[in-house]
Amino acid sequence: MRREDALDYHARGRPGKIAVVPTKPLGNQRDLSLAYSPGVAEPCLEIKANPEDVYKYTAKGNLVAVVSNGTAVLGLGNIGAAAGKPVMEGKGNLFKQFADLDVFDLEVGSEIPDDVVKFCQLLEPTVGGINLEDIRAPDCFFVEETLRKTLKIPVFHDDQHGTAIISGAALLNALDVVGKKIEEVKVVFSGAGAAAISTAEHYVRLGVKREHIAMCDRSGVVYDGRTEHMDPYKARFALKTTDRTLDDAIRGADVFVGLSAAGAMSQGMVKAMAKDPIIFALANPNPEITPPEVHAVRTDAIVATGRSDYPNQVNNVLCFPFIFRGALDVRATEINEEMKMAATRALAALAREDVPDSVSQLYGLDNVKFGRDYLIPFPFDPRVLLWVAPAVAWAAVASGVAREMIDLEGYRDSLELRLGKARGLMRGIINRAQQDPKSVVFPEGEELRILRAAQILVDEGIAHPILLGRESRIRGTAGEYGVSLEGIRIEDPSTSEHRDRYAQFLFERRQRKGLSLSEAQQRIQKGAYYGSVKVAMGDAAAIVGGIGKHYPETVRPALEVIGAHHVTKLASGLYMLVFDNRVVFCGDTTVNIDPTAEQVAQIAISAAGLVANFGQVPRIAMLSFSNFGSVSHPDSAKMARAVQIVREQRPALMVDGEMQADTAFDMDETTKRYPFSKLTEAANVLIFPNLSAGNIAYKLLTKLGGATAVGPILVGMAHPVHVLELTADVQDVVNMAAVAVIDAQWRVRTTSGTYIPVGTTGEMSATTGLAANGNGHPVAPHPASASTGSQRAPAAARR
């Protein structure tokens, strides 16, 4: 990284890295009167009467102060408060990006510890917690200890505890990898500052014996009787020993923890360590010794650093955002040792889970597995929030420092929403799938991504996967990559006991389309045909396929075997586009090139059923280049006619058009210019006049508009069929399988072979997905149903 790049990054555009963003509208006089005088007086009076209401009416519960006096900034030393401000702004950016916490960075112009203490004490009414940063030792110990005694909000010195918590997780896993017991290992520290002392104390709580820890600073080993450069905090680790230098102490050591300076450890020291040495060289920006230097002399060593260009990065961003997220969400009065320990164990447990492809790809890696080169999660793994924050929150509750109780599963759902609406919506879908898992067939069962997804589906209770392929190949791949096949069914279409029966079914379906029995017997050995027949015959609930294949290769067998439902007679493809503040469904984006008005109407009705099944009320806009007849053209007339057809068939649906795209969303302008419009809220279902428009639009919205796309979702089929994109990753597979499960849940086979949604009593078009109650109004699941599920603890809490 060049110096000029770093300077340009901070200076370009709006200087700095953070800004204050309003959360309430201020667009007219009424808003002004509510935001400020006179309306603001009302919450002021409520808070005066009930001080806890400050969390209800202000941002305090989501606000952290990052406080520093600049006396120990990174490896730069005492550079002063103003010079340390870029670091504090960066900290604020990380808080927001990783845990959705707001931050005021506050640089205190004093090196006197009592001044920093007083400053922080005066902040208590304003912020929900205080993160102390870059304050030199031993001042930082006094400041934090005093504040923890005098304040009733969380106070956390990240320089001390962040490294302790994260390296503690790495230590637990490294010891497990090499088969050593924590109570027996000898640990040597290079450095005796705030981070080193806090880390050593944390290791003692994890099980390392205090007498097995040797701490070294610039004066050598901290031994009993030493007076030079000593303080009460170092004295806790004074050993009765004749060792006087780091070279002396390192002989036979099992673990080295470097929190000092580049080059502090030599290759000779590495050679002197015990078998399978664990080396945490954590000095920044350059470690005490690099992994290549270690491995040049010890191939049995496990190495971690603070750098992203080597494996096992100990980065404090794995800790502080999530510690504060959990603490603030239960209104903890402090961050205690139980909460820190919970964070360590959650990180250690998460590292043992499969790493999603989307995370591995950020680091340019494939096949990341727990072991010597992967001891702790990657900083950009979004699951860290979902594991660490709940663990910390629950530890606060269990240890008696929380003022609010939480429901763990509901809390995890709310955290997913903070990661983005797409994750929150998918969490709701997954929760519903877990209530009644169904069997899902995967034609590409030999694909590693499918194997990994199948394991997650079983572990999370989302579906019962059936993998199609050669059993020897599937088991071989699973063994090679450490994927468990427990709970997963494997069927080889070429040797299956169902092969002849399925071939006969296929022949009967396609015999008048030129297919002979011998050809059917050949085709049934292909996964897509075998899986489609399996679903059509009721031996599985749904099929999900398409990885590594072009869309037509997957859709064609399903259309030939399963086909469109006899009521709709039309299949269509939708994408769910998730933005920060809305979710929009687009159709048709994948199947029908130039649909007629009748087909457009059916696409809209099928889309409405899907939206209702996802727990939302469908509001449909038939899109065109014309607004309600403003342009006379066959294309606009087609969309207007489609509106009429939908209203005739489903009079209770909210649908209108033809209209331009902006008319579908700008309700203030739409109600003024078109008061007759049936759309009273912004549309959430966009129906396009042809495939070109739909396909182009959804791709522009994802690439330029920042939407997250979920799909393609196939609707209008006689049985649940869902298609994966060619390059879908493991999480995409899991998401689509969950969609297939709730699709199957909502269909109940009747004697006529049609499907109706579970729990409805009125008549319904089988595959439109929209039920009618006794009054003929559409029935959609209650919105809350999209986020309610079995009361299962988060994965971290279950282990």
Side-chain angles (χ1 to χ4, degrees):
M1 181 191 68
R2 297 184 309 134
R3 176 176 180 274
E4 292 78 10
D5 292 337
L7 294 175
D8 178 65
Y9 173 84
H10 287 81
R12 70 172 177 258
R14 186 171 184 164
K17 298 188 289 290
I18 57 176
V20 175
V21 178
T23 60
K24 299 295 187 294
L26 193 63
N28 52 47
Q29 185 60 38
R30 182 177 184 276
D31 290 344
L32 180 60
S33 67
L34 292 171
Y36 203 55
S37 181
V40 73
E42 298 305 326
C44 292
L45 292 172
E46 289 297 311
I47 294 168
K48 183 177 184 299
N50 181 13
E52 285 298 300
D53 277 354
V54 69
Y55 291 98
K56 179 179 180 181
Y57 295 113
T58 77
K60 177 176 180 174
N62 200 59
L63 185 60
V64 175
V66 174
V67 178
S68 175
N69 64 359
T71 53
V73 179
L74 298 176
L76 305 176
N78 186 354
I79 62 174
K85 187 174 178 65
V87 177
M88 308 315 136
E89 283 190 354
K91 201 83 171 185
N93 198 332
L94 297 176
F95 266 113
K96 189 63 179 178
Q97 298 286 355
F98 285 88
D100 193 27
L101 284 165
D102 300 316
V103 164
F104 288 152
D105 69 291
L106 302 169
E107 292 72 37
V108 183
S110 174
E111 296 184 11
I112 302 172
D114 284 324
D115 288 348
V116 178
V117 168
K118 185 64 175 177
F119 179 82
C120 291
Q121 289 172 333
L122 295 174
L123 288 176
E124 187 173 18
T126 299
V127 297
I130 295 175
N131 182 96
L132 299 172
E133 192 76 16
D134 291 348
I135 301 171
R136 67 189 170 199
D139 296 351
C140 59
F141 299 118
F142 167 77
V143 171
E144 186 187 41
E145 288 174 1
T146 305
L147 292 175
R148 288 186 62 184
K149 292 175 183 176
T150 57
L151 299 184
K152 292 298 182 184
I153 58 173
V155 178
F156 184 80
H157 185 209
D158 180 51
D159 300 314
Q160 290 185 57
H161 310 300
T163 302
I165 289 167
I166 302 161
S167 70
L171 177 67
L172 291 176
N173 283 342
L175 290 174
D176 183 65
V177 168
V178 300
K180 294 183 180 181
K181 295 181 180 180
I182 194 168
E183 66 272 14
E184 296 177 357
V185 296
K186 176 185 176 183
V187 181
V188 175
F189 280 81
S190 173
I197 290 171
S198 178
T199 300
E201 291 287 3
H202 194 65
Y203 285 10
V204 170
R205 287 186 286 272
L206 285 171
V208 177
K209 291 185 177 180
R210 189 177 293 272
E211 58 269 26
H212 290 177
I213 296 176
M215 188 165 288
C216 306
D217 60 10
R218 60 189 172 187
S219 298
V221 174
V222 175
Y223 60 89
D224 188 29
R226 198 185 97 171
T227 57
E228 184 183 12
H229 297 118
M230 288 294 290
D231 59 53
Y233 304 100
K234 290 182 188 178
R236 299 172 188 168
F237 293 95
L239 290 179
K240 294 183 182 297
T241 179
T242 58
D243 292 340
R244 291 296 182 266
T245 67
L246 180 58
D247 280 290
D248 296 336
I250 204 73
R251 288 194 298 269
D254 300 283
V255 181
F256 169 84
V257 182
L259 291 161
S260 52
M265 187 181 205
S266 68
Q267 289 180 319
M269 294 179 188
V270 175
K271 291 179 181 179
M273 293 182 71
K275 182 178 181 293
D276 292 316
I278 297 167
I279 297 171
F280 295 164
L282 306 180
N284 265 324
N286 297 310
E288 286 79 2
I289 189 169
T290 67
E293 290 171 333
V294 171
H295 292 137
V297 294
R298 291 293 294 268
T299 58
D300 61 338
I302 291 178
V303 187
T305 70
R307 291 175 53 144
S308 59
D309 51 348
Y310 296 124
N312 299 319
Q313 182 189 15
V314 177
N315 189 319
N316 282 17
V317 77
L318 279 170
C319 175
F320 66 83
F322 316 114
I323 284 271
F324 272 97
R325 181 77 272 164
L328 266 62
D329 286 341
V330 294
R331 295 189 198 169
T333 56
E334 64 175 297
I335 294 173
N336 58 24
E337 301 308 326
E338 291 87 346
M339 295 159 74
K340 298 171 194 172
M341 190 64 66
T344 288
R345 297 198 181 280
L347 286 169
L350 176 56
R352 296 166 183 268
E353 298 288 308
D354 277 344
V355 180
D357 291 347
S358 56
V359 175
S360 300
Q361 288 164 5
L362 286 174
Y363 293 86
L365 301 172
D366 295 314
N367 189 30
V368 177
K369 292 191 297 186
F370 173 74
R372 289 174 174 268
D373 289 335
Y374 180 67
L375 299 173
I376 49 177
F378 294 123
F380 280 98
D381 188 336
R383 299 173 303 164
V384 177
L385 174 64
L386 309 180
W387 284 60
V388 176
V392 169
W394 187 247
V397 172
S399 60
V401 298
R403 289 180 287 185
E404 292 282 325
M405 292 292 291
I406 58 167
D407 164 61
L408 276 179
E409 190 65 22
Y411 178 52
R412 192 166 186 260
D413 292 345
S414 71
L415 292 174
E416 293 235 40
L417 283 172
R418 291 187 181 278
L419 289 174
K421 203 164 185 177
R423 289 184 63 91
L425 188 60
M426 284 313 306
R427 170 49 54 185
I429 290 170
I430 287 171
N431 283 345
R432 290 175 61 193
Q434 289 170 331
Q435 294 177 16
D436 184 18
K438 302 294 183 184
S439 57
V440 179
V441 181
F442 295 93
E444 298 87 26
E446 297 177 6
E447 253 277 356
L448 179 59
R449 286 170 286 175
I450 296 294
L451 284 168
R452 292 193 186 281
Q455 181 180 351
I456 294 171
L457 293 171
V458 171
D459 289 346
E460 298 296 326
I462 298 168
H464 306 304
I466 303 171
L467 305 187
L468 304 185
R470 293 162 292 183
E471 185 166 357
S472 59
R473 177 69 64 88
I474 291 173
R475 293 195 179 279
T477 302
E480 180 182 354
Y481 291 98
V483 178
S484 170
L485 293 175
E486 184 178 353
I488 297 172
R489 208 157 95 212
I490 301 172
E491 292 187 20
D492 185 343
S494 63
T495 61
S496 168
E497 61 180 343
H498 305 300
R499 181 181 55 182
D500 293 339
R501 183 165 61 96
Y502 286 1
Q504 183 65 33
F505 180 91
L506 176 60
F507 169 64
E508 292 174 3
R509 277 291 174 94
R510 303 296 296 175
Q511 59 186 342
R512 293 185 179 274
K513 301 290 185 180
L515 185 72
S516 68
L517 179 59
S518 62
E519 288 172 329
Q521 290 169 339
Q522 291 175 350
R523 286 193 187 180
I524 209 65
Q525 296 184 49
K526 297 179 180 179
Y529 278 98
Y530 183 96
S532 296
V533 172
K534 192 172 193 68
V535 172
M537 295 191 71
D539 292 345
I543 181 170
V544 173
I547 274 200
K549 291 183 170 62
H550 292 291
Y551 192 80
E553 294 180 73
T554 302
V555 172
R556 187 179 297 112
L559 290 173
E560 290 178 0
V561 175
I562 295 173
H565 194 275
H566 72 275
V567 175
T568 65
K569 298 182 175 61
L570 184 74
S572 57
L574 304 176
Y575 269 90
M576 179 171 67
L577 302 182
V578 186
F579 299 86
D580 288 341
N581 60 348
R582 73 175 81 229
V583 176
V584 176
F585 295 81
C586 297
D588 183 356
T589 55
T590 60
V591 179
N592 299 283
I593 295 175
D594 189 13
T596 64
E598 290 74 19
Q599 290 173 325
V600 170
Q602 187 54 60
I603 292 167
I605 292 172
S606 295
L610 177 79
V611 173
N613 199 16
F614 281 5
Q616 301 187 40
V617 177
R619 301 183 298 276
I620 307 167
M622 298 289 196
L623 298 184
S624 177
F625 56 83
S626 169
N627 275 321
F628 304 105
S630 63
V631 178
S632 178
H633 188 277
D635 283 351
S636 57
K638 176 177 74 171
M639 301 307 285
R641 173 63 184 145
V643 172
Q644 294 175 355
I645 295 171
V646 173
R647 288 178 177 170
E648 290 167 3
Q649 295 184 10
R650 294 290 178 272
L653 275 179
M654 188 186 300
V655 58
D656 218 330
E658 86 289 8
M659 66 177 66
Q660 295 175 2
D662 56 341
T663 305
F665 295 106
D666 188 353
M667 287 299 102
D668 288 340
E669 188 64 24
T670 298
T671 53
K672 289 177 186 176
R673 296 184 61 185
Y674 312 108
F676 52 82
S677 174
K678 301 296 184 183
L679 282 183
T680 57
E681 297 180 57
N684 60 0
V685 180
L686 304 180
I687 304 299
F688 296 90
N690 54 53
L691 188 59
S692 290
N695 193 271
I696 291 168
Y698 101 79
K699 288 182 177 177
L700 284 174
L701 288 169
T702 55
K703 297 301 181 184
L704 301 181
T708 299
V710 178
I713 303 171
L714 203 58
V715 296
M717 297 290 287
H719 300 272
V721 177
H722 295 286
V723 183
L724 298 162
E725 290 192 317
L726 187 73
T727 58
D729 67 14
V730 172
Q731 192 58 50
D732 293 331
V733 179
V734 172
N735 290 347
M736 194 57 71
V739 169
V741 168
I742 66 169
D743 189 359
Q745 287 174 350
W746 219 39
R747 305 174 186 223
V748 176
R749 186 181 293 275
T750 66
T751 54
S752 64
T754 61
Y755 290 79
I756 61 173
V758 175
T760 61
T761 57
E763 190 180 55
M764 175 198 117
S765 167
T767 52
T768 61
L770 203 58
N773 62 22
N775 299 319
H777 296 296
V779 176
H782 189 279
S785 69
S787 59
T788 56
S790 56
Q791 294 301 305
R792 305 170 74 225
R798 296 201 303 270
R799 286 167 170 78

